[in-house]
């Protein structure tokens, strides 16, 4: 389970059925009256407030119809009277990624368009506070020696985490004793309350804060922009190496594990039940006194695993949230996903991907490529709200073989500093100059097309191509 500290807005829509009854008499049946659209209530929340100007944020709308049915149509996100964009519901849910260019308070609403069975609805206004833009720190190539005890599981986890980050180019993280304290407190809380999760309940034994940010602050850590931190937890035991391997082989956890934070804290607690044998909790943060998180430069694309990675878990048997929500990974696992990461301010478009057994040459089929937009071959729009526009997840459809080398090849385009939008446009078709397909004043969309002289034309994305070989270990990620 992972908790990425990004803004998302959830429009939870509750529908109430209207029962109609009537009678008939005489010699003929009355003409039936079409049912009136169902009354809808839309609510809007934000997981993180404030958010930094220019930082991509994911908005999530969930619409629930009568008896749990899935309404159709669109949800439009509004900033006051300005349309941020619209997105089509898929199985009652949709996502939209945007940025705010101006600081201050923004009044955000979500508007559901309605369909034949569900009326339109507008949420109450939600105030989102936008702070000054993020600054950035160059990638860190060395850190001070940690103070964890020699031979401890904390030291083993710290060393492996930094070795994997450094090998793949993500930059290293340094120990924070305050984050150590926060991570250990939450690990102990999980064991004491026999409760798996990131949030603590006020008043429960060992409570130190609801969220990982709250717990870090309680331990004396001051976060950059008051929000820049994250947490990943393994509940399978107290082995630091096994925990890091498992977490880095689960894509959302991996993205947090190679996040651009500067500090890390590790807490480990031994469980007391067979269902919870132990907890390895890893907290990340970027301190307020820094210039900001580490930055992947320009159009660079990094991956995990990468060239030379060894001991990688060979399959994914489960993750919460699931990167493949339509599949039971416990009974039908996938191969270890490949995580791609560019700068969060960029947009990443994957145009091709392959995974091949480096010895036999046998190809492993690609199930899907998760991105915010769902564009490109194998593309699926990720609904977790945990991906930035500069990230992608390539998911093999079958488990890999243990202790085997695989060659990965991924190609695509990087659109540098492009604020994306989740709608489709086709090169050569007409558009309104200075607008996108929804007429909201933007001049480009996530596919890299721009509206020029009334026609969508391709933007000059930067081509990337990554080919590397990694080797699996003997374990599968749970």
């Amino acid at each position: 389970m992972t908790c990425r500290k990004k803004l998302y807005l959830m429009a939870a829509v509750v529908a109430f059925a209207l029962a109609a009854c009537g009678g008939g008499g005489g010699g003929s049946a009355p003409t039936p009256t079409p049912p009136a659209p169902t009354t809808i209530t839309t609510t809007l929340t934000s997981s993180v407030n404030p958010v930094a100007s220019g930082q991509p944020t994911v908005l999530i709308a969930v619409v629930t119809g009568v008896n749990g049915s899935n309404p159709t149509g669109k949800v439009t996100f509004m900033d006051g009277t300005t349309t941020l964009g619209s997105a089509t519901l898929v199985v009652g849910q949709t996502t939209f990624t945007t940025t705010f260019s101006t600081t201050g308070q923004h009044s955000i609403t979500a508007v559901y368009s309605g369909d034949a069975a569900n009326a339109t609805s507008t949420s109450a206004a939600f105030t989102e506070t936008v702070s000054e833009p993020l600054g950035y720190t160059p990638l860190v190539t060395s850190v001070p020696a940690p103070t964890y005890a020699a031979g401890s599981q904390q030291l083993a986890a710290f060393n492996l985490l930094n070795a994997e980050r450094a090998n793949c180019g993500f930059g290293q993280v340094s120990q924070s004793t305050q984050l150590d304290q926060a991570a250990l407190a939450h690990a102990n809380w999980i064991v004491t309350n026999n409760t798996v999760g990131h949030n603590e309940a006020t008043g429960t034994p060992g409570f130190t804060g609801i969220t990982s940010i709250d717990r870090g602050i309680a331990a004396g850590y001051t976060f950059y922009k008051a929000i820049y931190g994250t947490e990943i937890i393994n509940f399978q035991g107290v082995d630091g190496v096994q925990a890091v391997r498992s977490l880095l082989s689960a894509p959302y956890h991996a993205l947090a594990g190679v996040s651009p934070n500067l500090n890390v804290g590790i807490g480990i607690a031994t469980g007391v039940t067979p269902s919870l044998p132990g907890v390895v909790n890893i907290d990340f943060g970027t301190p307020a006194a820094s210039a900001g998180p580490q930055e992947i430069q320009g159009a660079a694309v990094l991956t995990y695993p990468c060239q030379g990675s060894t001991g990688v878990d060979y399959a994914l048997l489960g993750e919460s949230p699931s990167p493949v929500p339509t599949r039971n990974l416990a009974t039908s696992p996938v191969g270890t996903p490949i995580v791609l990461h560019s700068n969060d301010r960029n947009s990443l478009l994957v145009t091709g991907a392959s995974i091949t057994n480096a010895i036999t040459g046998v190809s492993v089929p690609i199930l899907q490529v998760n991105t915010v937009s769902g564009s490109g071959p194998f593309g699926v729009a990720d609904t977790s709200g945990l991906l930035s526009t500069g990230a992608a997840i390539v998911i093999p459809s079958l488990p890999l073989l243990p202790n085997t080398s695989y060659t990965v090849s991924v190609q695509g385009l990087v659109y540098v500093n492009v604020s994306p939008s989740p709608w489709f446009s086709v090169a050569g078709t007409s558009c309104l100059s200075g607008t996108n397909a929804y007429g909201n004043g933007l001049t480009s969309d996530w596919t890299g097309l721009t509206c020029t002289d009334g026609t969508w034309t391709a933007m000059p994305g930067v081509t990337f191509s990554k080919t590397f070989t990694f080797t699996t270990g003997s374990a599968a990620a749970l």
Side-chain angles (χ1 to χ4, degrees):
M1 188 176 291
T2 184
C3 184
R4 297 291 302 279
K5 298 300 177 181
K6 287 181 175 293
L7 168 71
Y8 70 91
L9 308 181
M10 178 167 288
V13 181
V14 182
F16 300 91
L18 296 178
C21 25
S28 62
T31 302
T33 301
T38 303
T39 301
I40 295 291
T41 300
T42 304
T43 59
L44 183 66
T45 60
S46 169
S47 67
V48 177
N49 191 18
V51 66
S53 174
Q55 182 181 13
T57 60
V58 179
L59 316 183
I60 300 178
V62 178
V63 182
T64 304
V66 182
N67 297 323
S69 64
N70 296 315
T72 59
K74 293 180 179 178
V75 173
T76 300
F77 296 92
M78 305 290 296
D79 182 358
T81 59
T82 301
T83 301
L84 296 173
S86 299
T88 301
L89 290 169
V90 177
V91 195
Q93 181 168 310
T94 190
T95 62
F96 179 79
T97 303
T98 189
T99 61
F100 297 96
S101 60
T102 58
T103 59
Q105 293 186 331
H106 292 248
S107 181
I108 311 299
T109 54
V111 181
Y112 169 56
S113 64
D115 59 19
N118 300 281
T120 61
S121 176
T122 300
S123 70
F126 178 88
T127 300
E128 182 68 36
T129 302
V130 181
S131 63
E132 294 295 328
L134 292 172
Y136 288 91
T137 297
L139 291 176
V140 178
T141 57
S142 64
V143 295
T147 60
Y148 302 119
S152 68
Q153 294 300 325
Q154 288 98 327
L155 181 62
F158 178 90
N159 286 341
L160 178 59
L161 177 66
N162 264 335
E164 297 297 283
R165 288 177 61 105
N167 180 56
C168 294
F170 288 99
Q172 299 185 49
V173 285
S174 59
Q175 179 191 13
S176 163
T177 55
Q178 291 119 332
L179 292 181
D180 284 337
Q181 179 182 333
L184 178 59
H186 187 53
N188 286 330
W189 180 90
I190 290 171
V191 170
T192 298
N193 294 275
N194 196 30
T195 300
V196 174
H198 288 284
N199 289 351
E200 297 182 6
T202 305
T204 51
F207 173 83
T208 55
I210 296 175
T211 69
S212 64
I213 297 293
D214 296 331
R215 295 187 290 272
I217 293 172
Y221 191 88
T222 304
F223 290 90
Y224 181 75
K225 300 291 184 185
I227 61 170
Y228 217 92
T230 189
E231 177 182 76
I232 53 178
I233 311 174
N234 181 274
F235 305 98
Q236 304 302 314
V238 296
D239 187 315
V241 168
Q242 182 274 332
V244 170
R245 290 286 185 208
S246 182
L247 290 167
L248 291 182
S249 295
Y252 298 130
H253 292 71
L255 285 167
V258 298
S259 67
N261 284 287
L262 295 173
N263 295 147
V264 67
I266 302 171
I268 300 179
T270 301
V272 294
T273 64
S275 62
L276 187 63
V279 178
V280 177
N281 185 25
I282 304 177
D283 282 1
F284 296 89
T286 294
S290 69
Q294 302 184 58
E295 181 176 33
I296 300 173
Q297 296 291 322
V301 176
L302 305 179
T303 69
Y304 188 85
C306 64
Q307 178 62 38
S309 295
T310 60
V312 177
D313 286 2
Y314 64 86
L316 178 65
L317 281 72
E319 183 175 24
S320 179
S322 174
V324 191
T326 58
R327 183 165 170 170
N328 184 341
L329 297 182
T331 58
S332 183
V334 295
T336 296
I338 310 299
V339 168
L340 285 75
H341 206 315
S342 184
N343 190 298
D344 281 341
R345 293 173 294 181
N346 298 344
S347 293
L348 196 61
L349 174 64
V350 176
T351 58
S354 66
I355 302 175
T356 305
N357 186 309
I359 304 300
T360 65
V362 175
S363 295
V364 180
I366 303 298
L367 175 65
Q368 63 191 51
V369 176
N370 288 29
T371 61
V372 168
S373 67
S375 58
F378 311 109
V380 171
D382 191 275
T383 59
S384 70
L386 301 178
L387 283 189
S388 74
T389 57
I393 304 169
V394 178
I395 303 179
S397 64
L398 300 172
L400 307 181
L401 298 175
N403 303 308
T404 302
S405 294
Y406 288 87
T407 298
V408 177
S409 181
V410 185
Q411 304 80 38
L413 294 169
V414 180
Y415 300 101
V416 179
N417 292 326
V418 172
S419 295
S421 304
W423 46 74
F424 293 87
S425 301
V426 179
T429 60
S430 62
C431 63
L432 296 175
S433 184
T435 70
N436 58 31
Y438 284 83
N440 67 6
L442 299 179
T443 58
S444 64
D445 73 354
W446 60 262
T447 61
L449 301 177
T450 186
C451 188
T452 305
D453 298 326
T455 302
W456 287 110
T457 57
M459 292 174 62
V462 179
T463 301
F464 76 88
S465 181
K466 307 283 291 188
T467 300
F468 58 90
T469 299
F470 71 95
T471 302
T472 59
S474 57
L478 300 176

